[in-house]
Amino acid sequence: MKLNRKKIAMGILAAVMATGVAGFTDAPQAEAKVDFGDVFDFEPHRGGRDARPENTLYSYAYAIENGATCIECDMQFTGDGDIVMSHNPILNHEITRDANGKWIENGKYDIRKMTVAEIQKFNVSKINPDVEYYKLHGQTRVDPEFAQIPTLEQLFQLVKASGNENVKFNIETKSYPDPLMGAAYTGNADKKAFLTRFNELVAKYGMEDRVVLQSFDWETLMMEKKMNPNISLSALIEEEPSWGKSAESLRPFDKEKSPWLGGLDIKDFKGDAVAAAHSFGADIISPYYGEISKNMVDEAHKLGMKVVPWTVNDVKDMEMMYDMGVDGLISDKPWLLRAFLEKKGAKLYPKHPFQSEYHLTPDHLEVQTNKVTGGADASY
């Protein structure tokens, strides 16, 4: 009989969470530096990638306008020692065109070996309509003719210019400690230099109490804890074998420790990701939404941690997560999520329209899309 490793792993996690994690919860209660008050954490994923070009000033402006609690986004460390906002370490050929308007060659341009000036010559305003990614995320978008990859500094400047004093940031260190990641692993950025630049920019713009640092690479979170204990930390997790081995961050059945957990061994915590994240002071646990349970939410709350699952794009799934008592939701479809939360009576920040060259209309395109099975819309 073929064993379903995912179901077994989640069964272990559920059992442990239901019976307690004695011996692994002696760390101090987590105390997030970012104060959300009683506002639900409404997070447009990559700024709202089903409404605007992802991780651009257009999507970030959209998130600000729509009253996001946090702008969820990704950062890469460049060859000239700066930070740009990109999910992929190597320019994504499905969303990137050169100065001649041609879709770039796959795998050719590594952000971590390029300067900001070189990176910003490329156009990431549209998705190639001939690829699957367009079907997943392009049909409802409103796109400009040109959008560049911005720096983290430009994001902070945009927020300052908007006058929005509420919106916060959930920013991911894109770091790749797993050899299975191929070129992403071999070209991985220097983590100390990456975090040093991050902290410089946070200090420059006075964003300490508005930034959450998230990562699958927990070593970067542990390093940040030592470098700047005032920054809130969110431990990302996924354990989805159907997306490939590199998408299993816990690896409870492997003999060796997972490279994603910063030296921790999930087996020492009886498979419990919440307890493992709590052990080094994470303030938030952020799992793939298909892999959480009410027990996980309750355990995290007992330890003083928040739970913010990703990436929830269907109203029925939003309902299920909300009923579990999660503290926030990350979605590619912010218009759906905000409407759902308003209907539920959740407390939200007000919408924040402002004058900006990055404002586009309409809000999004009303195109009927099929629900994606297997989490493919969240897997890349």
Side-chain angles (χ1 to χ4, degrees):
M1 179 178 69
K2 185 176 180 180
L3 297 178
N4 187 318
R5 296 173 65 246
K6 180 184 175 185
K7 287 184 177 179
I8 294 172
M10 299 317 296
I12 291 173
L13 290 175
V16 171
M17 292 168 196
T19 57
V21 286
F24 300 110
T25 58
D26 296 332
Q29 294 274 314
E31 296 181 3
K33 317 308 177 297
V34 172
D35 182 9
F36 293 102
D38 57 353
V39 174
F40 191 86
D41 191 2
F42 158 49
E43 298 197 19
H45 186 230
R46 306 185 196 177
R49 68 171 164 176
D50 285 14
R52 298 291 185 272
E54 65 183 71
N55 280 320
T56 66
L57 295 179
Y58 289 96
S59 65
Y60 301 151
Y62 175 87
I64 296 167
E65 291 171 352
N66 280 276
T69 310
C70 273
I71 301 173
E72 196 281 341
C73 51
D74 309 282
M75 57 183 181
Q76 302 281 351
F77 192 58
T78 68
D80 57 346
D82 209 344
I83 291 173
V84 295
M85 312 311 291
S86 172
H87 179 266
N88 297 58
I90 298 169
L91 289 180
N92 183 351
H93 67 290
E94 296 185 337
I95 67 172
T96 309
R97 290 172 291 162
D98 62 22
N100 298 315
K102 303 293 184 182
W103 298 106
I104 64 169
E105 181 181 336
N106 186 20
K108 185 174 182 179
Y109 299 100
D110 191 328
I111 286 172
R112 300 160 302 179
K113 298 178 181 178
M114 301 168 67
T115 66
V116 170
E118 291 170 337
I119 293 163
Q120 293 193 328
K121 291 178 181 178
F122 291 91
N123 186 358
V124 292
S125 69
K126 300 182 186 298
I127 302 174
N128 186 336
D130 298 327
V131 301
E132 181 190 25
Y133 198 61
Y134 177 81
K135 295 177 182 178
L136 295 175
H137 300 293
Q139 298 180 76
T140 53
R141 280 186 13 176
V142 177
D143 293 332
E145 287 304 311
F146 181 83
Q148 65 180 195
I149 294 173
T151 62
L152 177 58
E153 184 158 29
Q154 287 175 312
L155 168 56
F156 287 160
Q157 289 171 343
L158 175 70
V159 172
K160 289 286 189 181
S162 77
N164 189 318
E165 298 293 337
N166 292 321
V167 68
K168 299 167 178 61
F169 311 87
N170 187 15
I171 311 178
E172 182 179 349
T173 48
K174 300 302 291 187
S175 181
Y176 312 93
D178 186 354
L180 294 176
M181 297 298 291
Y185 166 78
T186 56
N188 202 19
D190 181 285
K191 298 177 189 182
K192 184 176 181 180
F194 193 171
L195 291 171
T196 296
R197 179 56 177 162
F198 167 74
N199 284 296
E200 287 174 353
L201 291 170
V202 168
K204 179 177 179 180
Y205 289 91
M207 295 295 186
E208 266 194 358
D209 61 350
R210 296 175 69 176
V211 165
V212 174
L213 186 71
Q214 61 173 340
S215 193
F216 288 102
D217 183 358
W218 290 8
E219 183 180 27
T220 65
L221 302 180
M222 296 172 183
M223 291 173 66
E224 179 65 13
K225 187 78 171 179
K226 294 179 179 179
M227 294 174 72
N228 187 353
N230 293 320
I231 298 297
S232 298
L233 304 177
S234 178
L236 287 162
I237 58 170
E238 60 181 337
E239 194 68 13
E240 185 49 69
S242 68
W243 298 347
K245 182 69 172 178
S246 62
E248 300 177 51
S249 65
L250 301 179
R251 303 187 188 174
F253 298 110
D254 285 12
K255 182 178 180 181
E256 302 298 328
K257 294 185 289 188
S258 169
W260 294 99
L261 304 187
L264 298 179
D265 190 337
I266 197 66
K267 293 183 287 297
D268 291 338
F269 298 86
K270 300 181 181 178
D272 186 350
V274 175
H278 180 258
S279 73
F280 68 87
D283 304 291
I284 301 166
I285 189 82
S286 189
Y288 169 52
Y289 82 91
E291 299 173 351
I292 75 170
S293 67
K294 183 65 165 60
N295 286 330
M296 176 184 281
V297 176
D298 291 346
E299 180 195 357
H301 288 169
K302 184 177 180 180
L303 295 173
M305 301 171 70
K306 294 183 180 296
V307 182
V308 182
W310 55 273
T311 305
V312 192
N313 294 328
D314 181 82
V315 173
K316 289 184 178 179
D317 294 327
M318 293 173 188
E319 182 95 39
M320 179 174 63
M321 298 294 104
Y322 192 84
D323 288 347
M324 284 186 188
V326 299
D327 303 281
L329 290 169
I330 299 170
S331 179
D332 292 315
K333 302 179 185 295
W335 68 93
L336 282 183
L337 179 55
R338 181 158 188 121
F340 165 78
L341 292 171
E342 288 175 344
K343 185 177 179 180
K344 284 291 187 180
K347 185 174 180 180
L348 299 168
Y349 290 142
K351 290 189 176 183
H352 185 88
F354 68 102
Q355 292 294 320
S356 169
E357 64 183 294
Y358 303 106
H359 174 76
L360 298 173
T361 56
D363 180 84
H364 62 279
L365 301 180
E366 286 292 347
V367 177
Q368 185 64 41
T369 56
N370 296 326
K371 180 177 179 180
V372 180
T373 59
D377 56 332
S379 64
Y380 66 97

